[in-house]
Amino acid sequence: MKNSKLYITETILRDAHQSQAATRMKTEEMLPVLDKIDKVGYYSVECWGGATYDACLRFLNEDPWERLRALKKGMPNTKLQMLLRGQNLLGYKHYADDVVDRFVKMSIENGIDILRIFDALNDVRNLKQAISSAKQYGGTVEAALSYTTSPVHNFEYFVNLSKTLVDMGADIICIKDMANLLLPYDAYALVKAIKKEVKVPVHLHTHNTTGTGSMVYLKAAEAGVDIVDTALSPLANGTSQPATESLVSTLKDTERDTGLDLTLLNEISSHFRKVADRLKSEGYLNPKVLNVDVNTLLYQIPGGMMSNLLNQLKEQGASDKYQDVLAEVPRVRKDLGYPPLVTPTSQIVGTQAVLNVVLGERYKMVTKETKGLLRGEYGKLPAEPDAEILKKCIGDEERITCRPADLLEPEYEKYKKEMQKYYTKEEDVLSYCMFPQVSEKYFKQREEEHKRNLTIKINGKEYLVEVEDYDYVAPNKPEVKAQQAEPIVNQTVASPKQAVQSVPTGKGTPVYSPMPGTILEIKAPTGTKVKKGDPIVVLEAMKMENDIAATCDGTVTIEVSKGAKIETQALIATIS
């Protein structure tokens, strides 16, 4: 890649709406302008991975794989790029190597050209399998270093990390500055230092949270950076990336001219302004994420995390605690050994900070993921965690020192067997691997929609039409079809939110939910004898798993069902 033209990766279809609007852009809102995006001449379009996969299944009732195929069909001449969390893939835990290999293979087969692969802790052991698989199946590996500042992170650290990643097979090195912590002159120096040591292109990713993003790109361009990430103006700046149009205009007729057509970019932006208006009107695009917040240099909160924190606090009815949570984040980060704040560690640290503030006591409730981070399930922490916090969260449990995935048995076939009744294609298995409960709910909805689309009414009754017979229904002979059909049984897919129960069905001490969420698992069924502190149920809240513990010794009576959505102070159990 010649060091003259500055290449642009467009993020409007992924990171821009993830950072500003909780990843709520729909596929149907992307499709109308794909032909125009395909003509721009971007280096690549980042359009998949990150939180898009989760949001498709959890909130939008979409198949993320169908989205990817539609984007590839609409942009055949443009390289499609995704964000992959190394051994975490797109979930919040480590997966066995066979799942990582299959996911990377299917991503490339479905249309991904470039895989930006990173590890939240910069533990290169967690990148090994994903890089190996991407190379094997013909993908371009863009290995990323998660940029952060702390007593243990400096330029020498990042330069050495870049050299290691190239030795592992990286085709491109990405400086992933997820919270806009990399300041302009530091960006110049870091790009210079890395380019001096490695011979592959250097790609810079930042946001504009602290208001310095555009200046960061300008200084990086002067230092010789090869590619930068920008977002079209309707969803640019603030917690998103600097605006594409602004950088294109700034560099026009210079030696780093991007060569992109502003007129065409404006046509595409006109479409996305309507999308941004919809996101704003529905409350997903919070004006707070558009403001410059120099305090981010203290909090180190990336764009996607900022919008998620706002949503989490809104769900908890604690929006007034926003500033308190921001101040708690760096304290939690220090407690846990200075992990860079990028998915999944940003969600782990952010959710723990929310719990610490909302519940009024630090580490009163500790998520399963926080415990896992401290145990070493996500890899080696940059620094040793606070000894007192470590003791409070995991007690005397043994900590992991090897590559975490080395402890995992192959699991793809196990997942496939578990979800067999929903299976329609291999990609379904991978969705189930990533998000079992969320995908199962999606599969049930998909099944119900499929039934609704294949029904006929005869004498006021609904009947399911066999697919092989669904050529033509003669209007004057419906009985022919009725003989081959089975009556449809209507099923409720999603459990309604359970109201707060003021009168327990069992006698004894009540156990209430400290927050809204979904009951994932009942660990102590009715009749179980428990000790104070024993987990009774697992509550999913803010995408994290939380054990709800017994408040005293006794025998449990469970007052909720698995899968129930409950509100704050909903009765979970009584202990007699």
Side-chain angles (χ1 to χ4, degrees):
M1 186 177 290
K2 293 181 180 178
N3 186 22
S4 54
K5 173 181 177 179
L6 181 67
Y7 289 85
I8 301 290
T9 290
E10 177 58 58
T11 68
I12 191 79
L13 300 184
R14 205 284 297 177
D15 201 4
H17 66 104
Q18 178 174 327
S19 294
Q20 285 193 358
T23 332
R24 293 302 203 279
M25 191 187 296
K26 304 170 185 175
T27 301
E28 65 188 42
E29 294 173 314
M30 304 174 182
L31 299 179
V33 288
L34 294 185
D35 58 334
K36 290 183 178 179
I37 295 176
D38 198 38
K39 294 174 184 173
V40 171
Y42 287 120
Y43 173 74
S44 63
V45 170
E46 194 211 30
C47 59
W48 209 61
T52 60
Y53 199 104
D54 184 6
C56 278
L57 294 169
R58 189 185 298 264
F59 303 117
L60 304 178
N61 194 29
E62 293 185 15
D63 187 329
W65 297 95
E66 288 179 7
R67 172 182 290 190
L68 176 55
R69 288 189 289 271
L71 294 176
K72 190 63 177 179
K73 184 177 180 181
M75 297 182 286
N77 304 305
T78 302
K79 286 182 278 191
L80 302 190
Q81 184 163 324
M82 76 170 293
L83 185 65
L84 191 77
R85 304 169 194 152
Q87 206 73 27
N88 283 64
L89 296 176
L90 302 180
Y92 299 102
K93 66 170 188 174
H94 276 199
Y95 295 92
D97 288 340
D98 63 331
V99 174
V100 174
D101 182 72
R102 187 69 62 101
F103 193 94
V104 170
K105 179 177 185 288
M106 297 304 293
S107 298
I108 293 170
E109 287 183 3
N110 278 276
I112 290 297
D113 301 290
I114 303 171
L115 297 92
R116 178 177 291 168
I117 305 171
F118 75 95
D119 178 65
L121 302 178
N122 288 318
D123 187 339
V124 296
R125 301 173 302 174
N126 296 333
L127 304 178
K128 180 181 175 183
Q129 182 62 56
I131 290 176
S132 173
S133 296
K135 301 289 279 189
Q136 179 182 347
Y137 300 118
T140 297
V141 173
E142 182 172 298
L145 51 94
S146 298
Y147 182 81
T148 189
T149 58
S150 82
V152 295
H153 295 92
N154 54 36
F155 276 17
E156 182 182 6
Y157 170 94
F158 289 117
V159 171
N160 289 335
L161 179 58
S162 299
K163 291 160 68 175
T164 301
L165 294 173
V166 171
D167 291 341
M168 291 175 68
D171 301 300
I172 303 168
I173 289 294
C174 175
I175 304 169
K176 182 173 170 56
D177 175 25
M178 50 278 178
N180 191 202
L181 301 175
L182 182 62
L183 296 172
Y185 285 94
D186 289 338
Y188 181 92
L190 183 57
V191 168
K192 280 281 191 186
I194 291 176
K195 286 190 72 67
K196 181 180 178 182
E197 295 295 330
V198 303
K199 303 306 177 188
V200 301
V202 175
H203 193 156
L204 177 57
H205 166 93
T206 195
H207 295 248
N208 209 23
T209 318
T210 63
T212 64
S214 296
M215 292 182 278
V216 167
Y217 281 163
L218 192 58
K219 292 303 294 183
E222 292 175 1
V225 77
D226 299 282
I227 319 160
V228 296
D229 286 358
T230 61
L232 286 165
S233 55
L235 289 170
N237 296 317
T239 54
S240 178
Q241 281 71 53
T244 305
E245 302 96 316
S246 302
L247 189 64
V248 169
S249 299
T250 298
L251 296 175
K252 188 172 175 58
D253 297 327
T254 71
E255 63 177 8
R256 302 309 311 272
D257 193 326
T258 65
L260 304 189
D261 183 348
L262 271 173
T263 302
L264 180 55
L265 293 176
N266 189 52
E267 289 177 15
I268 302 168
S269 289
S270 295
H271 168 77
F272 285 113
R273 270 190 283 276
K274 298 171 189 172
V275 178
D277 288 342
R278 194 271 298 176
L279 294 168
K280 193 175 297 183
S281 68
E282 294 182 11
Y284 295 118
L285 208 169
N286 191 310
K288 286 183 180 179
V289 303
L290 301 177
N291 297 334
V292 169
D293 186 357
V294 294
N295 286 323
T296 302
L297 294 171
L298 298 176
Y299 306 144
Q300 299 207 9
I301 297 176
M305 180 181 176
M306 191 80 79
S307 61
N308 275 330
L309 280 180
L310 287 165
N311 273 347
Q312 287 175 355
L313 288 169
K314 185 178 177 183
E315 287 175 5
Q316 304 297 322
S319 295
D320 60 319
K321 303 287 188 183
Y322 181 60
Q323 290 298 328
D324 294 334
V325 170
L326 292 186
E328 176 67 0
V329 166
R331 291 194 287 264
V332 172
R333 180 174 178 251
K334 180 182 179 182
D335 292 342
L336 303 186
Y338 292 109
L341 293 185
V342 61
T343 307
T345 52
S346 56
Q347 278 81 353
I348 295 171
V349 170
T351 300
Q352 191 60 55
V354 170
L355 292 174
N356 288 359
V357 170
V358 171
L359 298 181
E361 179 185 327
R362 303 187 79 229
Y363 304 101
K364 178 180 181 180
M365 177 178 287
V366 182
T367 68
K368 175 185 173 184
E369 290 79 5
T370 296
K371 293 176 182 177
L373 187 65
L374 290 169
R375 275 194 295 261
E377 292 174 11
Y378 294 87
K380 183 177 172 56
L381 290 163
E384 184 62 15
D386 180 275
E388 187 178 326
I389 299 301
L390 192 66
K391 181 76 173 176
K392 185 173 184 178
C393 294
I394 66 170
D396 296 322
E397 291 183 45
E398 188 177 349
R399 294 167 68 193
I400 297 168
T401 56
C402 65
R403 184 183 80 119
D406 288 340
L407 302 175
L408 301 176
E409 295 292 331
E411 56 186 348
Y412 181 81
E413 292 301 327
K414 174 181 73 75
Y415 279 120
K416 187 174 182 178
K417 186 176 180 180
E418 282 180 16
M419 58 78 62
Q420 195 60 42
K421 65 179 178 179
Y422 303 114
Y423 181 96
T424 63
K425 55 187 181 298
E426 289 297 303
E427 291 87 340
D428 289 343
V429 184
L430 293 167
S431 293
Y432 184 80
C433 291
M434 298 300 102
F435 309 104
Q437 290 83 17
V438 172
S439 63
E440 190 170 353
K441 178 184 172 185
Y442 167 75
F443 295 147
K444 287 178 180 177
Q445 289 175 326
R446 181 178 67 182
E447 196 173 79
E448 289 300 311
E449 287 175 8
H450 180 66
K451 285 180 179 178
R452 284 196 293 272
N453 291 334
L454 294 176
T455 61
I456 58 173
K457 275 192 175 181
I458 304 171
N459 298 328
K461 291 184 179 180
E462 275 191 339
Y463 290 89
L464 178 64
V465 178
E466 298 293 340
V467 175
E468 59 265 30
D469 295 325
Y470 199 57
D471 296 327
Y472 171 68
V473 178
N476 59 340
K477 289 189 178 181
E479 66 276 7
V480 175
K481 291 295 171 187
Q483 292 171 358
Q484 301 177 29
E486 292 291 330
I488 289 182
V489 179
N490 291 324
Q491 297 177 345
T492 302
V493 175
S495 302
K497 285 191 174 182
Q498 252 178 240
V500 176
Q501 302 175 35
S502 56
V503 182
T505 59
K507 295 179 181 179
T509 304
V511 179
Y512 295 107
S513 172
M515 68 193 79
T518 303
I519 302 295
L520 282 187
E521 182 185 349
I522 294 173
K523 287 193 165 185
T526 295
T528 305
K529 294 186 185 301
V530 296
K531 297 282 189 183
K532 181 180 179 181
D534 287 351
I536 298 175
V537 302
V538 178
L539 179 74
E540 183 196 48
M542 301 177 284
K543 299 183 184 179
M544 299 288 155
E545 296 182 16
N546 307 273
D547 284 337
I548 305 299
T551 52
C552 61
D553 297 355
T555 303
V556 173
T557 299
I558 294 293
E559 307 281 358
V560 292
S561 57
K562 181 179 177 181
K565 294 183 183 298
I566 60 175
E567 301 287 5
T568 302
Q569 288 302 302
L571 183 67
I572 289 176
T574 49
I575 303 174
S576 59

